[in-house]
């Protein structure tokens, strides 16, 4: 555990140093430090994806970046006089990260199926043209795989690839807690909303084994939305704030493309606060370059800007195919993703095609019988807490529900954004982990509007704050007990890499992965999985599926996989 703590501490410093350039001048509050960590993840992700166009992210290259960032970042930390605050914050983050990582596991089966295998590809090779032809899931990987890959250096070794998600999660819950405490007296509405977000994070997103590529995306989504809830948001909206929101929105989308509606926030801010200077500055220039790099990467690996959305694909590219005879076809994958999201695997009835299953709400009955129940159970505790808070607000003064009490424009915007998001989620990809932040935002904003109508700002500050703090303590205690119990249950069980998460195989009792090298043109083209645990972080490229009619060429040091029709 000490090893995990030390690596988490250094990783926290690493992310902070990468994002320290965004810290406001003469601003030393803890929220700004946490925000620097969130932005630091974006900077390192950009470095990773940009560098991968030119080279593999080897341990030597990653160690060089680590030393460079720590050197200049530390100078900035001392220059801005936030050394003690930084140490305090990173220690807290490291404690929580250690708790959630120790003796846990990865998100299965996705992590061992394509998250870790793609990270391995990034560490072993520079960008590969048409890699989605080896495994279709390589066409829609997350920016998180690049962030994870750059943490594999000579200090962290391959264990570094599982650290960033834990650091960002820990930073996020500490950020929201700090925001509640520092704003409660002057903005109860905002603190109440943030409390609800924090409560759900501690309850619904608390297991590292369920993070996958989704949880961090939802956290960034809720973070961005929380900015707009502040009472003085419009007064403090400036060039820097707009630019950072735009950058965070882009990163959120890169983490999970199903959260594409996040872009409506910077669009909304432009519409109501148009100013030419919002478009011409260094942060926006960086955001534009990052956007171009990301979509160029998507085109190279899959032939689509957003795989597998057909309208974004370019059939003239040699490494792209939309031939439905091949499983990597964008058309096939688009339909397959939608069908599985709507419960195709749970369907019991007359034999039908996926096209008929997803048509005209035929799928709803099947979805309600399995995943609908899961969604209800997942939200039940959260809804009970909301009910208790509702009773508290009404009991304070039951006659003061003011229908005409004004709800500001940003709250209403977020309310409609959440409604659109929930509808899009339900109609296109109704798996909870794909759109949970839309649902949480809807519930939080609905509760916020209700609190405004109940004149929350005029409630007894001492009593209400005491109740909120007691609730936070309860949620934190449940969070801690859950992780401590897992550590206790697994403490005497011997596995490889104890006490790190099990990210080699389900039982982690051996590393004997079985795979056959597939020879293409006299060279090893890829490895075909022959064991049950997934490719994981072993050989690369690795796929559980045999690619039909696949060919490979190497030109100027770049590999290209394409299908011969």
């Amino acid at each position: 555990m000490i090893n995990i703590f030390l690596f988490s501490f250094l990783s926290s410093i690493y992310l902070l140093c990468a994002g320290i350039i965004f810290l406001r001048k003469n601003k030393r509050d803890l929220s700004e430090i946490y925000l620097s960590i969130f932005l630091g993840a974006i900077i390192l992700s950009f470095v990773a994806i940009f560098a991968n166009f030119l080279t593999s992210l080897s341990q030597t290259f990653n160690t060089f970046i680590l030393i460079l960032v720590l050197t200049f970042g530390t100078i900035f930390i001392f220059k801005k006089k936030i050394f003690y605050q930084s140490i305090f914050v990173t220690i807290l983050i490291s404690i929580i990260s250690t708790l959630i990582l120790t003796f846990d596991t990865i998100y299965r089966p996705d992590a061992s199926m394509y998250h870790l295998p793609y990270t391995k590809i990034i560490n072993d090779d520079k960008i590969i043209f048409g890699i989605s032809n080896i495994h279709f899931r390589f066409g829609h990987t997350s920016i998180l795989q690049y962030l994870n890959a750059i943490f594999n250096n000579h200090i962290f070794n391959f264990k570094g690839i599982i650290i960033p998600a834990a650091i960002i999660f820990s930073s996020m819950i500490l950020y929201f807690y700090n925001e509640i405490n520092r704003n409660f007296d002057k903005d109860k509405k905002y603190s109440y909303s943030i409390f609800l977000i924090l409560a759900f994070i501690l309850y619904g997103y608390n297991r590292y084994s369920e993070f996958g590529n989704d949880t961090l995306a939802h956290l960034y989504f809720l973070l961005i939305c929380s900015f707009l809830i502040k009472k003085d948001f419009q007064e403090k909206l400036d060039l820097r704030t707009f630019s950072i929101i735009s950058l965070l929105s882009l990163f959120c989308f890169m983490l999970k493309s199903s959260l594409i509606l996040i872009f409506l926030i910077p669009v909304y801010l432009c519409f109501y606060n148009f100013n030419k200077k919002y478009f011409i500055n260094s942060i926006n220039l960086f955001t534009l370059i990052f956007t171009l790099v990301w979509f160029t990467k998507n085109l190279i690996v899959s032939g689509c800007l957003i795989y597998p959305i057909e309208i974004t694909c370019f059939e003239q590219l040699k490494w792209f195919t939309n031939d439905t005879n091949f499983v990597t076809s964008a058309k096939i994958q688009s339909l397959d993703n939608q069908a599985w999201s709507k419960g195709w695997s749970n369907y019991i009835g007359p034999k039908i095609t996926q096209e008929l299953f997803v048509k005209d709400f035929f799928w709803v009955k099947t979805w309600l019988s399995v995943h609908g129940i899961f969604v209800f159970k997942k939200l039940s505790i959260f809804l009970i807490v909301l009910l208790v808070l509702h009773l508290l607000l009404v009991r304070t003064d039951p006659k003061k529900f003011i229908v005409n009490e004004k709800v500001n424009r940003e709250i209403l915007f977020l309310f409609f954004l959440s409604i659109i998001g929930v509808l899009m989620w339900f109609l296109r990809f109704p798996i909870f982990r794909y759109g949970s932040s839309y649902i949480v935002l809807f519930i939080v904003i609905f509760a916020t509007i209700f609190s405004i109508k109940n004149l929350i700002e005029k409630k007894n500050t001492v009593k209400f704050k005491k109740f909120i703090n007691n609730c936070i303590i309860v949620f934190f205690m449940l969070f801690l007990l859950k992780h401590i119990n897992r550590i206790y249950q697994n403490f005497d069980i011997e596995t490889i890499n104890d006490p790190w998460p099990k990210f080699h195989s389900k039982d982690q009792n051996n590393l004997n992965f079985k795979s056959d090298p597939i020879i293409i043109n006299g060279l090893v083209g890829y490895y075909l999985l022959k064991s049950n645990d997934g490719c994981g972080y072993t050989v690369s490229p690795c796929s559980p599926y045999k690619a039909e009619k696949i060919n490979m060429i190497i030109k100027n040091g770049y590999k290209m996989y394409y299908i011969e029709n």
Side-chain angles (χ1 to χ4, degrees):
M1 289 180 65
I2 294 177
N3 198 18
I4 296 178
F5 176 83
L6 292 175
F7 280 11
S8 297
F9 178 76
L10 183 56
S11 297
S12 304
I13 294 290
Y14 187 22
L15 287 170
L16 175 58
C17 287
I20 197 68
I21 58 173
F22 292 99
L23 191 70
R24 288 183 187 270
K25 294 180 179 179
N26 303 318
K27 196 85 172 181
R28 303 179 188 176
D29 64 81
L30 300 185
S31 289
E32 284 288 323
I33 295 177
Y34 291 123
L35 185 60
S36 297
I37 290 175
F38 306 145
L39 293 168
I42 299 177
I43 295 296
L44 290 179
S45 298
F46 173 78
V47 171
I49 193 171
F50 186 81
N52 194 232
F53 279 84
L54 306 172
T55 183
S56 63
L57 299 189
S58 65
Q59 287 190 342
T60 300
F61 175 83
N62 293 340
T63 304
F64 171 75
I65 297 297
L66 172 68
I67 295 172
L68 193 67
V69 170
L70 288 179
T71 300
F72 286 96
T74 302
I75 294 173
F76 270 94
I77 287 174
F78 279 103
K79 187 176 181 180
K80 293 177 182 286
K81 300 178 180 179
I82 57 166
F83 175 76
Y84 295 109
Q85 295 96 319
S86 299
I87 295 298
F88 174 73
V89 163
T90 50
I91 287 176
L92 289 179
I93 293 171
S94 303
I95 292 172
I96 297 175
S97 297
T98 301
L99 277 174
I100 65 176
L101 285 173
T102 303
F103 291 116
D104 209 327
T105 185
I106 56 174
Y107 180 71
R108 299 184 187 280
D110 289 17
S112 57
M113 189 177 293
Y114 72 99
H115 299 172
L116 293 175
Y118 193 78
T119 302
K120 178 66 172 175
I121 291 172
I122 299 169
N123 285 139
D124 289 350
D125 287 287
K126 53 187 172 184
I127 195 166
I128 300 176
F129 288 74
I131 189 63
S132 63
N133 289 315
I134 296 297
H135 188 347
F136 59 87
R137 287 187 173 88
F138 291 159
H140 53 77
T141 52
S142 165
I143 190 66
L144 181 59
Q145 272 70 73
Y146 287 88
L147 179 61
N148 289 340
I150 204 170
F151 271 73
N152 180 4
N153 52 53
H154 289 302
I155 297 176
F156 302 145
N157 210 315
F158 59 83
K159 295 173 184 176
I161 66 176
I162 63 173
I163 297 176
I167 300 299
I168 295 172
F169 171 83
S170 304
S171 303
M172 201 71 74
I173 62 176
L174 290 170
Y175 167 83
F176 284 130
Y177 177 72
N178 185 67
E179 283 292 286
I180 294 171
N181 280 334
R182 68 193 286 263
N183 289 283
F184 204 100
D185 294 332
K186 58 183 179 181
D187 193 349
K188 292 192 188 74
K189 172 201 68 180
Y190 171 70
S191 295
Y192 174 67
S193 303
I194 297 302
F195 159 71
L196 296 178
I197 292 175
L198 177 60
F200 186 82
I201 291 172
L202 291 173
Y203 161 68
Y205 294 144
N206 57 43
R207 294 174 59 186
Y208 181 83
S209 59
E210 294 182 351
F211 279 10
N213 283 339
D214 310 305
T215 296
L216 292 194
H218 296 310
L219 292 178
Y220 271 90
F221 182 90
L222 294 171
L223 170 70
I224 297 163
C225 292
S226 72
F227 295 154
L228 276 68
I229 302 175
K230 281 190 176 181
K231 181 167 59 178
D232 58 355
F233 173 75
Q234 280 293 344
E235 299 172 12
K236 294 187 176 180
L237 180 61
D238 54 14
L239 172 62
R240 175 184 179 273
T241 303
F242 171 79
S243 300
I244 286 180
I245 287 177
S246 299
L247 180 56
L248 289 169
S249 299
L250 175 65
F251 190 66
C252 177
F253 168 74
M254 290 176 175
L255 286 166
K256 196 71 181 176
S257 59
S258 62
L259 298 180
I260 191 171
L261 292 184
I262 193 65
F263 287 125
L264 291 179
I265 291 181
V267 170
Y268 162 81
L269 295 179
C270 279
F271 183 79
Y272 281 103
N273 305 274
F274 180 78
N275 193 319
K276 289 182 179 179
K277 69 179 182 179
Y278 282 180
F279 297 95
I280 307 172
N281 64 82
S282 57
I283 299 178
N284 283 344
L285 178 61
F286 172 74
T287 302
L288 176 61
I289 294 172
F290 202 174
T291 303
L292 294 174
V293 169
W294 175 254
F295 285 116
T296 302
K297 184 277 298 182
N298 288 349
L299 276 177
I300 290 175
V301 301
S302 70
C304 304
L305 293 173
I306 306 175
Y307 181 85
I309 301 177
E310 285 185 80
I311 197 173
T312 70
C313 302
F314 294 80
E315 295 196 17
Q316 61 269 37
L317 295 176
K318 184 174 183 177
W319 57 91
F320 173 78
T321 181
N322 211 16
D323 187 338
T324 54
N325 291 315
F326 300 98
V327 70
T328 57
S329 161
K331 186 175 183 178
I332 291 292
Q333 285 307 311
S334 180
L335 175 62
D336 192 61
N337 286 348
Q338 185 179 171
W340 279 81
S341 297
K342 293 179 176 179
W344 173 251
S345 61
N346 304 120
Y347 172 69
I348 300 175
K351 188 174 181 180
I352 59 173
T353 63
Q354 288 185 333
E355 289 93 338
L356 290 175
F357 179 76
V358 302
K359 189 178 180 181
D360 298 331
F361 297 100
F362 180 87
W363 54 272
V364 172
K365 184 178 179 181
T366 300
W367 182 87
L368 287 173
S369 66
V370 180
H371 203 74
I373 294 174
F374 172 81
V375 172
F376 177 77
K377 288 181 178 179
K378 193 73 173 178
L379 295 173
S380 58
I381 300 296
F382 189 49
L383 293 173
I384 290 172
V385 172
L386 278 177
L387 178 61
V388 173
L389 289 170
H390 160 77
L391 295 175
L392 175 71
L393 287 170
V394 173
R395 191 186 67 177
T396 304
D397 195 339
K399 296 181 180 180
K400 284 190 176 180
F401 186 87
I402 312 299
V403 176
N404 295 322
E405 183 68 17
K406 185 177 180 181
V407 177
N408 67 36
R409 192 171 62 206
E410 283 70 34
I411 298 293
L412 291 176
F413 166 76
L414 290 177
F415 184 64
F416 287 112
L417 171 64
S418 66
I419 291 175
I420 296 170
V422 170
L423 288 174
M424 184 181 74
W425 165 78
F426 182 73
L427 295 174
R428 294 296 299 174
F429 40 82
I431 292 180
F432 185 74
R433 63 187 178 89
Y434 285 178
S436 62
S437 53
Y438 289 135
I439 302 172
V440 174
L441 179 64
F442 173 77
I443 296 173
V444 168
I445 297 302
F446 184 84
T448 301
I449 292 174
F450 184 84
S451 72
I452 294 172
K453 297 296 185 180
N454 274 277
L455 302 177
I456 191 173
E457 294 295 345
K458 297 182 180 180
K459 301 295 182 185
N460 185 297
T461 301
V462 176
K463 289 184 178 179
F464 196 63
K465 186 175 184 179
K466 183 178 179 181
F467 177 81
I468 294 297
N469 281 331
N470 287 337
C471 287
I472 292 174
I473 291 172
V474 170
F475 275 99
F476 263 112
M477 288 301 297
L478 292 174
F479 172 81
L480 292 174
L481 287 172
K482 183 174 184 177
H483 289 288
I484 291 173
N485 180 62
R486 184 195 66 252
I487 294 172
Y488 174 77
Q489 294 291 334
N490 290 275
F491 197 79
D492 294 327
I493 300 176
E494 294 185 7
T495 59
I496 294 173
N497 290 332
D498 277 350
W500 289 84
K502 303 173 184 177
F503 67 98
H504 287 299
S505 63
K506 186 175 180 180
D507 298 322
Q508 198 156 330
N509 52 14
N510 66 76
L511 296 179
N512 296 322
F513 287 87
K514 297 178 181 178
S515 61
D516 291 340
I518 303 300
I519 306 301
I520 304 175
N521 297 331
L523 300 172
V524 175
Y526 66 98
Y527 293 87
L528 181 62
L529 180 68
K530 292 295 183 179
S531 58
N532 296 322
D533 287 315
C535 292
Y537 192 81
T538 53
V539 292
S540 73
C542 179
S543 172
Y545 311 107
K546 186 171 183 179
E548 300 295 336
K549 295 185 178 180
I550 193 76
N551 203 349
M552 179 186 73
I553 59 174
I554 301 177
K555 188 174 182 179
N556 297 325
Y558 289 89
K559 294 180 183 178
M560 178 194 294
Y561 294 95
Y562 63 94
I563 293 174
E564 293 182 315
N565 294 317

